[in-house]
Amino acid sequence: MTYKDSGVDIKAGEEMVESIKGVVQDTHGPEVLTNIGGFGGFFKPDLGSFENPVFVSSVDGVGTKLIVAFKAGKYDTVGQDLVNHCVNDIAVCGAKPLFFLDYFSTGKLEQHVGVDVVKGFAKACKENGVALIGGETAEMPDIYDEGEFDLAGTIVGIVDQKKVINGSDIQKGDVLLGFKSSGLHTNGYSLARKVLFSKYNVENYVEELGSTVGDELLKVHKSYLSLITELKDMDGVHGFSHITGGGIVGNTKRILPEGLKLDIDWEGWKRPPVYNLMQEIGNVPEEDMQATFNLGVGLIAVVSENEAEAVKKKAEELGEEVIEVGSVV
């Protein structure tokens, strides 16, 4: 009995690594000192412009959004989701992302699936100016069912300590400016799947959505890096919140100083149709909607009342539609 007989094909893994070298190396700049295939990824950052550099890291997954990808047979977007999610998590701290590492595990390696996933990683890395410097592909036949896989990713960025954004300047009266999400992003999919797949299949076209269910649910998680980069040094910008699991309140309250809370105007913007559809089909309580989904707002900037108009104008010049979500009280 061989390793291949047990369900692990080393040769297939090697062939996949060989086939993705080009797209991975396309994300590399002069800071990357090694090519794919070594035991570790080497990255030499230019620290010349930093007085007191601090590295910022984050790790995450895509969650059960992967099940939608399995059903749709579409694998080139979930890698983008993961990179953009991780980028946003450190960008809201004021950090510039430097490099990303991925983990791809499956029951039986199907090379075209793995290549599509990695191409998604590489596409988003290149768009965000991030180097994809390493990863792991694991074949585990007794853990995953046929056609299934899981993803995780780690990102590392850098920020000057004096420019760390942690919400410590937030005060009573600050305004919450919201920026639109591209869809559900990467959270709430256990509830979304339970509701929508109780009535529709992944390929069903839904008039209210203007697309198939699968296309709606697989919309790529938006990167807010360029927007945050433009806004973070403006006067009056006191904090950013990336709206992921826990919703608007659950995430934004993480950066509030003690003694402050949020006053959200839940009727202040029009929710994308997918949320109304889910609430109607599943009779989902409003409390669950607010605590589970981003409801169309993927990023919030907490801004002083006096500077809110200037920040709003700058964001609009960058092509963003700004939503006044509420205030700090």
Side-chain angles (χ1 to χ4, degrees):
M1 184 174 288
T2 66
Y3 205 12
K4 188 173 182 178
D5 292 332
S6 71
V8 180
D9 189 342
I10 294 175
K11 185 179 179 183
E14 291 173 344
E15 289 174 351
M16 179 184 146
V17 169
E18 193 62 34
S19 67
I20 62 174
K21 276 188 175 181
V23 295
V24 171
Q25 289 173 358
D26 202 30
T27 70
H28 294 176
E31 304 88 355
V32 179
L33 304 184
T34 56
N35 291 322
I36 187 170
F39 287 97
F42 289 76
F43 190 94
K44 185 180 180 181
D46 179 2
L47 303 179
S49 61
F50 295 88
E51 290 182 20
N52 194 9
V54 176
F55 290 104
V56 185
S57 61
S58 183
V59 62
D60 221 309
V62 183
T64 63
K65 186 172 187 175
L66 289 174
I67 295 175
V68 184
F70 303 156
K71 288 178 179 289
K74 184 174 176 59
Y75 310 109
D76 60 344
T77 59
V78 287
Q80 297 175 64
D81 289 321
L82 184 50
V83 172
N84 289 343
H85 185 134
C86 289
V87 164
N88 290 339
D89 276 351
I90 66 170
V92 295
C93 303
K96 173 188 176 182
L98 298 175
F99 59 85
F100 182 84
L101 300 100
D102 71 86
Y103 177 76
F104 173 87
S105 56
T106 185
K108 178 176 174 55
L109 180 59
E110 298 181 63
Q111 288 188 49
H112 72 282
V113 174
V115 168
D116 278 356
V117 171
V118 175
K119 282 182 176 178
F121 289 142
K123 183 177 189 296
C125 280
K126 193 168 183 181
E127 289 172 350
N128 288 287
V130 176
L132 179 56
I133 67 168
E136 168 69 4
T137 301
E139 206 169 16
M140 298 186 285
D142 296 323
I143 292 185
Y144 301 97
D145 288 336
E146 185 176 349
E148 292 184 352
F149 59 84
D150 197 11
L151 301 178
T154 299
I155 196 160
V156 175
I158 191 169
V159 61
D160 216 318
Q161 188 167 357
K162 66 182 181 181
K163 293 188 175 182
V164 169
I165 302 172
N166 58 15
S168 58
D169 292 331
I170 293 174
Q171 52 193 302
K172 176 184 174 182
D174 280 359
V175 177
L176 307 176
L177 299 181
F179 303 95
K180 285 190 170 183
S181 64
S182 54
L184 273 65
H185 285 181
T186 48
N187 297 98
Y189 276 81
S190 293
L191 178 56
R193 289 184 300 102
K194 188 174 181 64
V195 171
L196 293 175
F197 291 149
S198 70
K199 181 173 181 179
Y200 303 110
N201 293 320
V202 71
E203 70 274 6
N204 288 156
Y205 181 88
V206 180
E207 195 68 39
E208 296 97 311
L209 302 178
S211 71
T212 66
V213 174
D215 285 346
E216 175 67 37
L217 294 182
L218 289 176
K219 287 179 176 177
V220 175
H221 192 134
K222 181 177 179 178
S223 169
Y224 295 99
L225 177 62
S226 59
L227 175 64
I228 293 170
T229 301
E230 291 288 339
L231 300 185
K232 65 184 180 182
D233 291 326
M234 292 187 69
D235 290 341
V237 175
H238 294 159
F240 292 100
S241 171
H242 183 206
I243 311 305
T244 57
I248 290 171
V249 173
N251 286 282
T252 309
K253 71 180 182 181
R254 293 160 63 179
I255 61 171
L256 292 184
E258 190 174 347
L260 299 177
K261 62 180 182 177
L262 302 167
D263 180 20
I264 307 296
D265 178 11
W266 295 105
E267 304 299 321
W269 70 95
K270 186 178 180 181
R271 296 178 184 178
V274 65
Y275 299 107
N276 299 326
L277 183 66
M278 286 191 293
Q279 191 164 21
E280 180 184 335
I281 293 173
N283 194 27
V284 182
E286 177 63 18
E287 183 180 356
D288 273 56
M289 295 295 295
Q290 294 176 9
T292 306
F293 301 113
N294 63 52
L295 300 178
V297 179
L299 178 77
I300 286 177
V302 186
V303 183
S304 69
E305 189 174 11
N306 291 339
E307 302 295 338
E309 277 304 314
V311 174
K312 183 177 179 181
K313 182 179 179 182
K314 179 65 174 178
E316 289 173 343
E317 288 173 357
L318 296 169
E320 294 285 343
E321 183 177 336
V322 185
I323 302 164
E324 292 203 20
V325 173
S327 61
V328 177
V329 295

